[in-house]
Amino acid sequence: MSNAVKRIGILTSGGDAPGMNAAVRAVVRTAIGQGIHCVGIRRGWNGLINSDFVRLDSSSVSHIINKGGTILYTARSEEFMTPEGRQRAVGTCKLLGLDGIVAIGGDGTFRGALELSRLGIPVVGIPATIDNDVGCTKYTIGFDTACNTCIECIDKLRDTMQSHERCSVVEVMGRRAGFLALYVGISVGATAVLIPERELNFEQDVVEKIRRARLAGNTHYMVVLAEGVGKGFYIGERIREAVGVDPRVTVLGHIQRGGAPTGRDRETASRMGYAAVMAMAQGRSNCIIGTDEGHLVEIEIEEALSMSKHLQMERYEVLEALTNTGD
């Protein structure tokens, strides 16, 4: 352990994701084992600017591994995007004697972390977002839980849609990425899945699939779309006009962020939290803890932010193959 690291701050920023609490717990307990004190920064970068903090010890993080959300709260901070705001954040780090920050969140969080690192504050990032759209890592904390939440909701919707012989249009999160929509769509046997990575051909991607399903004997249809494709109500209205079926639109919204994290998210968060502290304790910082084929990797933060992530389109091919004769 580097004797230089005596006290670190922990914050969660951006959209909350199930498993953030498990990561906070892992950071705190690993740090204590390394003789490092922990300070929880509440409300993300905004809290660092305004010196909104709480001391964390082992009892502070007991019984949180199974809880969704984040005990440190989260917020977005426009002030941190200004040079003045970042200088105030640096001032808080100096005042509290922080030797580094562990930042848990997505790309926006890491861009803030990069700016802070350029001002001399060591930072290690842990990726947590239900969209799974961070370029430098195969997996982000929260994705599995969000998928399972969507699947549970859609399974219940299917029961009533089947009873009334209707079409259900379900809008899930994913402004720029379709990881969540495609994973969920395959898992629920959707008639059609619409994702931002694939240009929408409404006739081919929606109308023909509904017709094919009807010809195969189906009387109910499930369309899953990522919010980045368009509004679910607009898609529903186009379906009504094109094929005359009666769509019911459900926007799952922020329910996708809630709930107890799954085992995968708890375990991944725990490993990432441990790795973040060990990196900092051993003198490595200004990096993101990512995953690659199940293994944890450290990626320099500037390089990490330049990396892009592409949807595995073979999954879309699987969807096509499994729905070409209807659900």
mmCIF file of all heavy atoms in Angstrom, residues 275-305:
data_model
loop_
_atom_site.group_PDB
_atom_site.id
_atom_site.type_symbol
_atom_site.label_atom_id
_atom_site.label_comp_id
_atom_site.label_asym_id
_atom_site.label_seq_id
_atom_site.Cartn_x
_atom_site.Cartn_y
_atom_site.Cartn_z
ATOM 1 N N ALA A 275 -11.343 -3.423 -6.726
ATOM 2 C CA ALA A 275 -10.264 -3.124 -7.672
ATOM 3 C C ALA A 275 -9.937 -1.630 -7.681
ATOM 4 O O ALA A 275 -8.767 -1.238 -7.820
ATOM 5 C CB ALA A 275 -10.648 -3.586 -9.070
ATOM 6 N N ALA A 276 -10.959 -0.786 -7.535
ATOM 7 C CA ALA A 276 -10.732 0.663 -7.549
ATOM 8 C C ALA A 276 -9.854 1.093 -6.383
ATOM 9 O O ALA A 276 -8.921 1.896 -6.542
ATOM 10 C CB ALA A 276 -12.075 1.396 -7.510
ATOM 11 N N VAL A 277 -10.150 0.571 -5.209
ATOM 12 C CA VAL A 277 -9.362 0.936 -4.036
ATOM 13 C C VAL A 277 -7.944 0.389 -4.137
ATOM 14 O O VAL A 277 -6.968 1.091 -3.824
ATOM 15 C CB VAL A 277 -10.043 0.436 -2.743
ATOM 16 C CG1 VAL A 277 -9.142 0.680 -1.528
ATOM 17 C CG2 VAL A 277 -11.383 1.129 -2.550
ATOM 18 N N MET A 278 -7.816 -0.853 -4.577
ATOM 19 C CA MET A 278 -6.477 -1.447 -4.669
ATOM 20 C C MET A 278 -5.608 -0.698 -5.678
ATOM 21 O O MET A 278 -4.397 -0.516 -5.466
ATOM 22 C CB MET A 278 -6.579 -2.923 -5.039
ATOM 23 C CG MET A 278 -7.260 -3.783 -3.975
ATOM 24 S SD MET A 278 -6.536 -3.604 -2.314
ATOM 25 C CE MET A 278 -4.876 -4.246 -2.605
ATOM 26 N N ALA A 279 -6.224 -0.241 -6.770
ATOM 27 C CA ALA A 279 -5.464 0.539 -7.741
ATOM 28 C C ALA A 279 -4.935 1.813 -7.095
ATOM 29 O O ALA A 279 -3.752 2.158 -7.219
ATOM 30 C CB ALA A 279 -6.339 0.876 -8.944
ATOM 31 N N MET A 280 -5.803 2.509 -6.387
ATOM 32 C CA MET A 280 -5.405 3.766 -5.765
ATOM 33 C C MET A 280 -4.380 3.535 -4.660
ATOM 34 O O MET A 280 -3.398 4.273 -4.523
ATOM 35 C CB MET A 280 -6.638 4.488 -5.224
ATOM 36 C CG MET A 280 -6.404 5.943 -4.884
ATOM 37 S SD MET A 280 -7.943 6.848 -4.629
ATOM 38 C CE MET A 280 -8.496 7.061 -6.325
ATOM 39 N N ALA A 281 -4.591 2.493 -3.870
ATOM 40 C CA ALA A 281 -3.667 2.193 -2.773
ATOM 41 C C ALA A 281 -2.275 1.830 -3.286
ATOM 42 O O ALA A 281 -1.268 2.090 -2.608
ATOM 43 C CB ALA A 281 -4.227 1.048 -1.927
ATOM 44 N N GLN A 282 -2.212 1.249 -4.473
ATOM 45 C CA GLN A 282 -0.931 0.839 -5.056
ATOM 46 C C GLN A 282 -0.333 1.900 -5.975
ATOM 47 O O GLN A 282 0.606 1.635 -6.715
ATOM 48 C CB GLN A 282 -1.128 -0.483 -5.807
ATOM 49 C CG GLN A 282 -1.460 -1.641 -4.876
ATOM 50 C CD GLN A 282 -1.979 -2.871 -5.598
ATOM 51 O OE1 GLN A 282 -1.977 -2.931 -6.840
ATOM 52 N NE2 GLN A 282 -2.438 -3.870 -4.838
ATOM 53 N N GLY A 283 -0.903 3.107 -5.911
ATOM 54 C CA GLY A 283 -0.322 4.224 -6.640
ATOM 55 C C GLY A 283 -0.788 4.393 -8.068
ATOM 56 O O GLY A 283 -0.224 5.183 -8.821
ATOM 57 N N ARG A 284 -1.870 3.658 -8.466
ATOM 58 C CA ARG A 284 -2.401 3.811 -9.814
ATOM 59 C C ARG A 284 -3.722 4.573 -9.735
ATOM 60 O O ARG A 284 -4.563 4.274 -8.896
ATOM 61 C CB ARG A 284 -2.625 2.448 -10.479
ATOM 62 C CG ARG A 284 -1.355 1.611 -10.573
ATOM 63 C CD ARG A 284 -1.609 0.335 -11.384
ATOM 64 N NE ARG A 284 -2.692 -0.476 -10.856
ATOM 65 C CZ ARG A 284 -2.590 -1.310 -9.824
ATOM 66 N NH1 ARG A 284 -1.427 -1.427 -9.177
ATOM 67 N NH2 ARG A 284 -3.624 -2.027 -9.425
ATOM 68 N N SER A 285 -3.883 5.559 -10.585
ATOM 69 C CA SER A 285 -5.119 6.342 -10.570
ATOM 70 C C SER A 285 -5.389 6.894 -11.961
ATOM 71 O O SER A 285 -4.720 6.531 -12.928
ATOM 72 C CB SER A 285 -5.026 7.467 -9.545
ATOM 73 O OG SER A 285 -3.994 8.364 -9.890
ATOM 74 N N ASN A 286 -6.382 7.767 -12.031
ATOM 75 C CA ASN A 286 -6.794 8.360 -13.301
ATOM 76 C C ASN A 286 -7.113 7.275 -14.332
ATOM 77 O O ASN A 286 -6.654 7.311 -15.468
ATOM 78 C CB ASN A 286 -5.742 9.329 -13.827
ATOM 79 C CG ASN A 286 -5.436 10.430 -12.815
ATOM 80 O OD1 ASN A 286 -6.261 10.722 -11.949
ATOM 81 N ND2 ASN A 286 -4.262 11.023 -12.904
ATOM 82 N N CYS A 287 -7.908 6.309 -13.866
ATOM 83 C CA CYS A 287 -8.290 5.186 -14.716
ATOM 84 C C CYS A 287 -9.727 4.780 -14.434
ATOM 85 O O CYS A 287 -10.327 5.204 -13.448
ATOM 86 C CB CYS A 287 -7.352 3.998 -14.498
ATOM 87 S SG CYS A 287 -7.391 3.322 -12.819
ATOM 88 N N ILE A 288 -10.267 3.961 -15.336
ATOM 89 C CA ILE A 288 -11.602 3.379 -15.179
ATOM 90 C C ILE A 288 -11.442 1.875 -14.990
ATOM 91 O O ILE A 288 -10.642 1.242 -15.680
ATOM 92 C CB ILE A 288 -12.478 3.632 -16.425
ATOM 93 C CG1 ILE A 288 -12.509 5.115 -16.789
ATOM 94 C CG2 ILE A 288 -13.890 3.093 -16.212
ATOM 95 C CD1 ILE A 288 -13.123 6.008 -15.760
ATOM 96 N N ILE A 289 -12.202 1.318 -14.051
ATOM 97 C CA ILE A 289 -12.216 -0.132 -13.867
ATOM 98 C C ILE A 289 -13.292 -0.697 -14.790
ATOM 99 O O ILE A 289 -14.486 -0.446 -14.613
ATOM 100 C CB ILE A 289 -12.531 -0.521 -12.414
ATOM 101 C CG1 ILE A 289 -11.558 0.160 -11.444
ATOM 102 C CG2 ILE A 289 -12.497 -2.038 -12.260
ATOM 103 C CD1 ILE A 289 -10.116 -0.231 -11.608
ATOM 104 N N GLY A 290 -12.885 -1.435 -15.817
ATOM 105 C CA GLY A 290 -13.839 -2.019 -16.755
ATOM 106 C C GLY A 290 -13.801 -3.530 -16.719
ATOM 107 O O GLY A 290 -13.048 -4.135 -15.946
ATOM 108 N N THR A 291 -14.627 -4.142 -17.558
ATOM 109 C CA THR A 291 -14.610 -5.601 -17.689
ATOM 110 C C THR A 291 -14.310 -5.970 -19.137
ATOM 111 O O THR A 291 -14.703 -5.267 -20.068
ATOM 112 C CB THR A 291 -15.956 -6.239 -17.290
ATOM 113 O OG1 THR A 291 -16.962 -5.865 -18.240
ATOM 114 C CG2 THR A 291 -16.393 -5.798 -15.900
ATOM 115 N N ASP A 292 -13.616 -7.073 -19.307
ATOM 116 C CA ASP A 292 -13.322 -7.603 -20.638
ATOM 117 C C ASP A 292 -13.322 -9.119 -20.538
ATOM 118 O O ASP A 292 -12.468 -9.705 -19.884
ATOM 119 C CB ASP A 292 -11.963 -7.091 -21.126
ATOM 120 C CG ASP A 292 -11.663 -7.518 -22.555
ATOM 121 O OD1 ASP A 292 -12.597 -7.942 -23.256
ATOM 122 O OD2 ASP A 292 -10.490 -7.446 -22.970
ATOM 123 N N GLU A 293 -14.331 -9.720 -21.153
ATOM 124 C CA GLU A 293 -14.493 -11.182 -21.098
ATOM 125 C C GLU A 293 -14.518 -11.683 -19.652
ATOM 126 O O GLU A 293 -13.953 -12.723 -19.321
ATOM 127 C CB GLU A 293 -13.377 -11.886 -21.879
ATOM 128 C CG GLU A 293 -13.220 -11.416 -23.315
ATOM 129 C CD GLU A 293 -14.486 -11.612 -24.144
ATOM 130 O OE1 GLU A 293 -15.263 -12.515 -23.813
ATOM 131 O OE2 GLU A 293 -14.685 -10.838 -25.105
ATOM 132 N N GLY A 294 -15.182 -10.931 -18.792
ATOM 133 C CA GLY A 294 -15.347 -11.332 -17.401
ATOM 134 C C GLY A 294 -14.228 -10.912 -16.473
ATOM 135 O O GLY A 294 -14.365 -11.001 -15.252
ATOM 136 N N HIS A 295 -13.101 -10.462 -17.036
ATOM 137 C CA HIS A 295 -11.967 -10.032 -16.216
ATOM 138 C C HIS A 295 -12.009 -8.515 -16.029
ATOM 139 O O HIS A 295 -12.435 -7.779 -16.923
ATOM 140 C CB HIS A 295 -10.643 -10.429 -16.881
ATOM 141 C CG HIS A 295 -10.486 -11.903 -17.083
ATOM 142 N ND1 HIS A 295 -10.215 -12.770 -16.052
ATOM 143 C CD2 HIS A 295 -10.584 -12.667 -18.207
ATOM 144 C CE1 HIS A 295 -10.142 -13.999 -16.515
ATOM 145 N NE2 HIS A 295 -10.369 -13.965 -17.825
ATOM 146 N N LEU A 296 -11.534 -8.040 -14.875
ATOM 147 C CA LEU A 296 -11.455 -6.607 -14.634
ATOM 148 C C LEU A 296 -10.182 -6.054 -15.255
ATOM 149 O O LEU A 296 -9.127 -6.684 -15.202
ATOM 150 C CB LEU A 296 -11.478 -6.305 -13.136
ATOM 151 C CG LEU A 296 -12.758 -6.692 -12.386
ATOM 152 C CD1 LEU A 296 -12.690 -6.187 -10.948
ATOM 153 C CD2 LEU A 296 -14.004 -6.136 -13.072
ATOM 154 N N VAL A 297 -10.299 -4.861 -15.835
ATOM 155 C CA VAL A 297 -9.153 -4.207 -16.458
ATOM 156 C C VAL A 297 -9.132 -2.744 -16.022
ATOM 157 O O VAL A 297 -10.167 -2.164 -15.691
ATOM 158 C CB VAL A 297 -9.216 -4.289 -18.000
ATOM 159 C CG1 VAL A 297 -9.044 -5.727 -18.461
ATOM 160 C CG2 VAL A 297 -10.529 -3.710 -18.532
ATOM 161 N N GLU A 298 -7.935 -2.163 -16.013
ATOM 162 C CA GLU A 298 -7.774 -0.738 -15.725
ATOM 163 C C GLU A 298 -7.442 -0.033 -17.038
ATOM 164 O O GLU A 298 -6.497 -0.414 -17.722
ATOM 165 C CB GLU A 298 -6.653 -0.504 -14.708
ATOM 166 C CG GLU A 298 -6.928 -1.099 -13.341
ATOM 167 C CD GLU A 298 -5.722 -0.969 -12.410
ATOM 168 O OE1 GLU A 298 -4.802 -0.172 -12.723
ATOM 169 O OE2 GLU A 298 -5.696 -1.664 -11.382
ATOM 170 N N ILE A 299 -8.212 0.990 -17.363
ATOM 171 C CA ILE A 299 -8.003 1.731 -18.609
ATOM 172 C C ILE A 299 -7.803 3.197 -18.272
ATOM 173 O O ILE A 299 -8.618 3.784 -17.543
ATOM 174 C CB ILE A 299 -9.201 1.568 -19.562
ATOM 175 C CG1 ILE A 299 -9.480 0.086 -19.802
ATOM 176 C CG2 ILE A 299 -8.961 2.297 -20.878
ATOM 177 C CD1 ILE A 299 -10.791 -0.192 -20.458
ATOM 178 N N GLU A 300 -6.720 3.774 -18.780
ATOM 179 C CA GLU A 300 -6.440 5.185 -18.537
ATOM 180 C C GLU A 300 -7.652 6.015 -18.939
ATOM 181 O O GLU A 300 -8.257 5.782 -19.976
ATOM 182 C CB GLU A 300 -5.201 5.589 -19.337
ATOM 183 C CG GLU A 300 -4.589 6.905 -18.910
ATOM 184 C CD GLU A 300 -5.254 8.093 -19.565
ATOM 185 O OE1 GLU A 300 -5.718 7.951 -20.723
ATOM 186 O OE2 GLU A 300 -5.325 9.162 -18.917
ATOM 187 N N ILE A 301 -8.030 6.973 -18.116
ATOM 188 C CA ILE A 301 -9.323 7.629 -18.249
ATOM 189 C C ILE A 301 -9.506 8.359 -19.577
ATOM 190 O O ILE A 301 -10.572 8.316 -20.181
ATOM 191 C CB ILE A 301 -9.573 8.572 -17.036
ATOM 192 C CG1 ILE A 301 -11.018 9.039 -17.021
ATOM 193 C CG2 ILE A 301 -8.605 9.732 -17.021
ATOM 194 C CD1 ILE A 301 -11.401 9.714 -15.719
ATOM 195 N N GLU A 302 -8.457 8.996 -20.061
ATOM 196 C CA GLU A 302 -8.579 9.713 -21.325
ATOM 197 C C GLU A 302 -8.779 8.734 -22.479
ATOM 198 O O GLU A 302 -9.603 8.958 -23.375
ATOM 199 C CB GLU A 302 -7.349 10.591 -21.568
ATOM 200 C CG GLU A 302 -7.567 11.649 -22.624
ATOM 201 C CD GLU A 302 -6.623 12.819 -22.492
ATOM 202 O OE1 GLU A 302 -5.756 12.819 -21.591
ATOM 203 O OE2 GLU A 302 -6.753 13.740 -23.311
ATOM 204 N N GLU A 303 -8.054 7.630 -22.436
ATOM 205 C CA GLU A 303 -8.235 6.593 -23.451
ATOM 206 C C GLU A 303 -9.627 5.991 -23.350
ATOM 207 O O GLU A 303 -10.291 5.741 -24.367
ATOM 208 C CB GLU A 303 -7.180 5.501 -23.281
ATOM 209 C CG GLU A 303 -7.323 4.349 -24.259
ATOM 210 C CD GLU A 303 -6.405 3.172 -23.950
ATOM 211 O OE1 GLU A 303 -5.541 3.315 -23.063
ATOM 212 O OE2 GLU A 303 -6.562 2.128 -24.597
ATOM 213 N N ALA A 304 -10.072 5.763 -22.120
ATOM 214 C CA ALA A 304 -11.383 5.153 -21.906
ATOM 215 C C ALA A 304 -12.495 5.996 -22.522
ATOM 216 O O ALA A 304 -13.432 5.468 -23.136
ATOM 217 C CB ALA A 304 -11.627 4.968 -20.407
ATOM 218 N N LEU A 305 -12.388 7.308 -22.371
ATOM 219 C CA LEU A 305 -13.431 8.189 -22.891
ATOM 220 C C LEU A 305 -13.409 8.299 -24.409
ATOM 221 O O LEU A 305 -14.390 8.738 -25.014
ATOM 222 C CB LEU A 305 -13.292 9.574 -22.260
ATOM 223 C CG LEU A 305 -13.758 9.660 -20.798
ATOM 224 C CD1 LEU A 305 -13.349 10.985 -20.177
ATOM 225 C CD2 LEU A 305 -15.263 9.463 -20.697
#
